[in-house]
Amino acid sequence: MTEKMNIVEAVNQAIHDEMEADENVIAYGEDVGEDGGVFRATKGLQDEFGEDRVFSSPLAESGIAGTAIGMSLYGFRPVIEMQFSGFSYLSFYQIKEHASRMRIRSRGDYTVPLTMRAPYGGGISALEHHQESPETFFSHSQGLHVVIPSTPQDTYSLLRKSIQMDDPVVFLEPKKIYRAFKEDVDTEKEVDLEEARIVQEGQDVTLVAWGAMVPVAEDAADEIDADVEIIDLRTIYPADFDTIYESVEKTGRAMVLHEAPKSVGFGAEIAARIQENEILKMEAPVERVTAPDVPYPLYTLEDFYMPNKDRAVKGLERVLNF
Amino acid sequence: MREEVYSGSVERIEVMGTDDEDDFPWIEEDEYKELYKQMMIARKFDEKAFSLQRRGEISTYAPHKGQEAAQIGAMFALEEDDWVVPSFRETAAFIARGAPLDKIFQRWMGDANGQKNLSELNTLPVAIPVGTQNLHTAGLGMAMEKKDDENAVIGFTGDGSTSEGDFHEALNFAGVYSGHSIFFVQNNQYAISMPREKQTKSETIAQKAIAYGITGIQVDGNDLLAVIKAMEEALEKARNGEPVLIEAVTYRLEDHTTSDDSTRYRDEEEVEEWKEKDPLRKFKEYLKEHDIWDDELEEFEEKAKEKVDEAAQKAIDADEPEFDELFDYVYDEMPELLKQEKEQLKKEVDQ
């Protein structure tokens, strides 16, 4: 079945359909119930599934994540919401040190099938702490899946898959493009979490991006006079490096575009892996277009901070003209 | 105008050496004996683990000597379908729960296989960070309420953990969601070197329950029967969705771990005072007073030692974990990326 949706509607539909399919799926977090979350991602779910399964929780990020671990161990599949990714750091300890390690510590005896959702990223002129891109922190936490969709179809399919996983998933939603566009979403379509998406094929340069940077990558590719292959990474960890290697073997050039600060951002990992595996195929060093190593600024400065089409084009020019 | 809008109170429970002895016998005679045996095994385990640490078989050990009554008493009234969330000092509780002794040694010897199959005992692996596991206690209790089950979960935590945010978030969640949770604080007077009175301005730890609208009970943690009584009351409430905080006032007779030196922060006189209240000795005297003591119990110390020695040897003789186990349980299905890293490391370490 197909239906036109934007990204936030796809989030809602995916949780809805998983709740319908499995009575152990529950959704909670701050304002998630009556309000449907501050972005309305869980709108209407409480009306349909009741307060027992969809509820607003006390304001406590560590509490939400830690209790979800306990609920998971008792057979539930909690889909918890961090109101903004900038507040997810308060849950970080529970996710990194408990959720991600329960399986290995118990030799596979216990699993923690929770999905932690959070709107992430900048570009919406929000308050401080509301625009962070924390994917690197979670990607450095072994035992987790870290997923970032960039289209309504991917949001729907990846979120359903995440909720079905027996391992914990951190699902970061690019809120800048929550309502940017609609597309037909096939609710039957299944995806593998370990597979990057080739957005468009090209011969001259490989451009890797995720989340709200994917449309920026597409705009930049449209503008530049070169044949750009765009890869949407989709799962940041464990990342599908093989698709990237295959692409750079063809193009010999690569650029990574992300919103998180440059140092130790996931682009660094991609550049390093390309260097380790494909150095002899490369015509130029891997280029990175990212945010600078400064805290996300108050919004009058955010246009300098966030990578945009022009910076992406300049980056592509540098790598093409090396 | 001013008026009192709230006032709360906390009760303390003691049994041995009080009028409550009139309750005697309130558990079966065999159970008194069984409890003593568990305490003795736990004591011998502690001594053995200590000597194994000195011999290099165990890297670091956290002794529970002095806290046997608190832990074993807490476990006594539990049913099989109740859950247990331990922190790192709950070796006596693991023994009472029926975890194989050799497995407990195996985990202290650095092999996570000692934590395998704990789900059969509805018991979680130990939590090493301080206080974070209280949220798992809360979550399990919330889940029981949601499933309309009539069981409960006991989560162990220490006096130090009551300064952690997660402790307070856990009590709050449990209260709000009618969790079937019992938060069992072993107030052993020190969080490593930090004495209880510098940990919190609260007169008791039990009174912290009041802030969250749940019941708080203080109990003499060296009085096995008092702990059982407190737990029986708590379980009745928790099974009905009324969480309880129990503060068991006890004392860690040894160091925090084998890496610690408690003579630097507490004086001998204080330790001697608490030795007088040794829960094992206290219970032995109680059994004698009530004519339950017999030759079998008299001889059990030697048997317990043998049992513990055998288990320790079994753990020493157990196979070391294999290289593959470093990777095998990280994910349900091993990601391609990890498979590649595994192969690479395998070559580097010549496996």
Side-chain angles (χ1 to χ4, degrees):
Chain A
M1 204 182 105
T2 59
E3 203 182 319
K4 272 211 182 314
M5 303 174 200
N6 60 32
I7 287 178
V8 77
E9 287 163 347
V11 169
N12 185 278
Q13 193 65 41
I15 302 172
H16 174 277
D17 292 355
E18 275 308 309
M19 292 193 87
E20 207 164 56
D22 182 350
E23 62 175 16
N24 287 315
V25 176
I26 53 171
Y28 68 101
E30 293 150 23
D31 306 309
V32 158
E34 292 77 2
D35 247 11
V38 291
F39 289 99
R40 309 291 176 261
T42 51
K43 186 181 164 189
L45 296 178
Q46 190 179 64
D47 289 340
E48 185 160 351
F49 296 103
E51 276 184 51
D52 245 9
R53 293 183 65 193
V54 181
F55 51 97
S56 299
S57 74
L59 199 164
E61 288 78 5
S62 186
I64 294 166
T67 54
I69 292 170
M71 303 268 270
S72 303
L73 293 166
Y74 204 73
F76 284 105
R77 288 185 177 271
V79 182
I80 53 170
E81 179 176 297
M82 294 290 124
Q83 199 155 72
F84 287 90
S85 62
F87 307 134
S88 71
Y89 301 114
L90 289 160
S91 74
F92 186 65
Y93 199 92
Q94 286 291 340
I95 297 295
K96 184 186 188 312
E97 294 299 325
H98 287 302
S100 70
R101 305 165 67 107
M102 193 60 85
R103 179 186 286 280
I104 193 165
R105 298 186 71 241
S106 65
R107 297 302 186 211
D109 192 26
Y110 285 116
T111 61
V112 177
L114 73 80
T115 302
M116 184 177 95
R117 302 175 34 243
Y120 97 104
I124 63 160
S125 304
L127 296 172
E128 272 188 283
H129 313 289
H130 284 63
Q131 312 220 75
E132 338 304 293
S133 296
E135 65 269 28
T136 294
F137 294 86
F138 291 106
S139 298
H140 206 59
S141 310
Q142 307 69 33
L144 300 178
H145 297 262
V146 182
V147 180
I148 300 181
S150 73
T151 67
Q153 176 71 63
D154 271 1
T155 301
Y156 179 83
S157 302
L158 291 167
L159 183 51
R160 284 205 72 173
K161 179 77 179 177
S162 298
I163 298 169
Q164 290 162 12
M165 298 283 282
D166 280 338
D167 292 324
V169 180
V170 173
F171 195 87
L172 299 173
E173 298 160 7
K175 62 179 179 289
K176 182 180 165 60
I177 55 171
Y178 255 161
R179 299 173 198 280
F181 60 100
K182 289 197 180 204
E183 70 176 10
D184 277 332
V185 172
D186 176 0
T187 53
E188 304 293 319
K189 189 176 173 188
E190 291 184 15
V191 292
D192 190 339
L193 283 195
E194 253 189 280
E195 217 174 279
R197 178 174 68 97
I198 296 177
V199 179
Q200 65 177 51
E201 294 194 9
Q203 299 293 323
D204 298 337
V205 58
T206 301
L207 174 51
V208 185
W210 50 89
M213 288 294 108
V214 174
V216 175
E218 288 177 286
D219 288 349
D222 278 348
E223 184 156 313
I224 198 165
D225 184 22
D227 196 13
V228 183
E229 179 145 305
I230 300 175
I231 295 174
D232 174 1
L233 200 55
R234 299 206 286 198
T235 296
I236 309 302
Y237 192 88
D240 174 10
F241 289 108
D242 289 339
T243 294
I244 297 173
Y245 300 153
E246 253 174 65
S247 177
V248 296
E249 279 173 21
K250 180 173 67 179
T251 63
R253 296 170 197 273
M255 180 176 119
V256 189
L257 176 65
H258 67 62
E259 289 185 50
K262 190 167 201 168
S263 291
V264 211
F266 204 72
E269 183 62 33
I270 294 171
R273 297 243 181 192
I274 292 175
Q275 182 271 127
E276 279 174 2
N277 288 276
E278 302 293 338
I279 186 87
L280 296 175
K281 300 277 170 51
M282 299 306 287
E283 305 287 339
V286 178
E287 183 69 36
R288 284 183 286 162
V289 174
T290 70
D293 291 350
V294 299
Y296 199 101
L298 266 62
Y299 60 80
T300 47
L301 281 172
E302 76 177 339
D303 287 344
F304 293 121
Y305 179 91
M306 288 268 291
N308 56 20
K309 182 187 70 181
D310 294 344
R311 284 181 59 202
V313 167
K314 283 176 190 157
L316 286 169
E317 284 168 352
R318 284 195 296 274
V319 74
L320 285 161
N321 299 328
F322 178 77
Chain B
M1 186 190 87
R2 284 167 200 247
E3 59 181 328
E4 186 172 78
V5 291
Y6 187 80
S7 92
S9 73
V10 169
E11 288 183 345
R12 178 180 166 96
I13 301 178
E14 291 176 27
V15 174
M16 295 184 198
T18 70
D19 293 344
D20 267 4
E21 285 193 37
D22 294 342
D23 288 344
F24 183 84
W26 115 75
I27 57 176
E28 301 290 325
E29 191 167 319
D30 286 354
E31 291 174 331
Y32 284 100
K33 290 182 181 175
E34 178 55 29
L35 284 162
Y36 178 80
K37 287 179 185 175
Q38 284 180 7
M39 284 173 83
M40 182 54 84
I41 291 171
R43 178 63 57 94
K44 293 295 151 192
F45 187 103
D46 221 42
E47 289 169 2
K48 183 71 182 180
F50 231 95
S51 71
L52 289 173
Q53 194 277 333
R54 297 293 184 244
R55 273 168 45 192
E57 295 282 358
I58 287 173
S59 155
T60 308
Y61 179 71
H64 58 251
K65 187 176 175 182
Q67 297 179 223
E68 292 92 342
Q71 294 184 21
I72 289 165
M75 304 298 281
F76 175 75
L78 294 187
E79 302 285 344
E80 274 180 19
D81 65 348
D82 293 325
W83 281 61
V84 182
V85 179
S87 90
F88 54 83
R89 203 184 295 286
E90 273 67 72
T91 301
F94 270 96
I95 292 169
R97 191 61 168 165
L101 294 176
D102 61 301
K103 291 287 174 194
I104 309 174
F105 273 123
Q106 199 174 350
R107 199 253 307 160
W108 281 114
M109 290 175 185
D111 179 359
N113 287 312
Q115 299 190 141
K116 204 174 178 169
N117 298 332
L118 284 177
S119 61
E120 289 167 14
L121 302 171
N122 287 337
T123 299
L124 296 194
V126 301
I128 305 288
V130 171
T132 50
Q133 79 284 1
N134 288 304
L135 283 167
H136 311 159
T137 308
L140 282 158
M142 285 163 64
M144 289 166 183
E145 173 72 7
K146 286 211 176 293
K147 296 234 181 209
D148 277 333
D149 289 345
E150 286 178 0
N151 53 353
V153 50
I154 176 172
F156 287 92
T157 200
D159 45 295
S161 92
T162 65
S163 302
E164 292 273 6
D166 280 356
F167 172 79
H168 298 276
E169 294 190 23
L171 263 56
N172 191 47
F173 269 76
V176 168
Y177 292 111
S178 306
H180 294 207
S181 312
I182 298 169
F183 300 95
F184 190 90
V185 182
Q186 287 176 86
N187 170 8
N188 69 7
Q189 312 301 327
Y190 288 89
I192 307 190
S193 65
M194 176 63 87
R196 212 298 274 149
E197 60 274 14
K198 288 187 182 172
Q199 192 72 238
T200 172
K201 182 77 173 166
S202 302
E203 245 174 86
T204 68
I205 284 171
Q207 76 198 59
K208 292 180 189 291
I210 294 169
Y212 300 99
I214 69 176
T215 303
I217 307 171
Q218 191 187 71
V219 61
D220 177 350
N222 285 20
D223 176 341
L224 181 74
L225 300 178
V227 176
I228 291 172
K229 197 162 248 189
M231 271 299 287
E232 283 180 346
E233 285 180 25
L235 278 165
E236 200 178 319
K237 284 179 185 288
R239 293 188 200 291
N240 289 308
E242 295 174 55
V244 179
L245 170 63
I246 296 177
E247 174 191 9
V249 180
T250 181
Y251 196 78
R252 155 162 65 76
L253 288 172
E254 294 288 350
D255 298 329
H256 167 69
T257 67
T258 45
S259 308
D260 172 41
D261 174 9
S262 59
T263 60
R264 292 153 70 107
Y265 55 84
R266 60 186 194 186
D267 58 47
E268 213 173 304
E269 206 177 308
E270 179 187 288
V271 181
E272 287 307 316
E273 265 174 44
W274 278 94
K275 274 186 182 162
E276 294 299 312
K277 302 176 200 163
D278 181 333
L280 190 62
R281 200 166 69 192
K282 198 167 168 170
F283 193 47
K284 182 177 175 177
E285 281 163 13
Y286 185 87
L287 295 180
K288 281 185 171 169
E289 276 168 31
H290 292 86
D291 295 327
I292 295 178
W293 192 257
D294 59 16
D295 289 348
E296 195 208 350
L297 290 184
E298 187 66 45
E299 287 156 19
F300 190 74
E301 183 167 356
E302 197 48 44
K303 274 199 185 140
K305 194 175 172 309
E306 278 167 29
K307 225 174 144 98
V308 162
D309 285 347
E310 273 170 35
Q313 196 55 47
K314 196 172 168 192
I316 290 166
D317 295 342
D319 291 337
E320 292 288 314
E322 304 278 333
F323 170 85
D324 285 0
E325 289 181 51
L326 191 58
F327 292 85
D328 278 357
Y329 303 103
V330 183
Y331 291 94
D332 183 21
E333 280 180 50
M334 195 182 296
E336 199 50 43
L337 196 58
L338 216 50
K339 283 184 195 159
Q340 291 164 8
E341 288 190 8
K342 183 178 167 182
E343 282 314 305
Q344 192 185 340
L345 185 64
K346 207 172 213 172
K347 283 182 201 148
E348 289 172 18
V349 298
D350 295 318
Q351 278 290 312

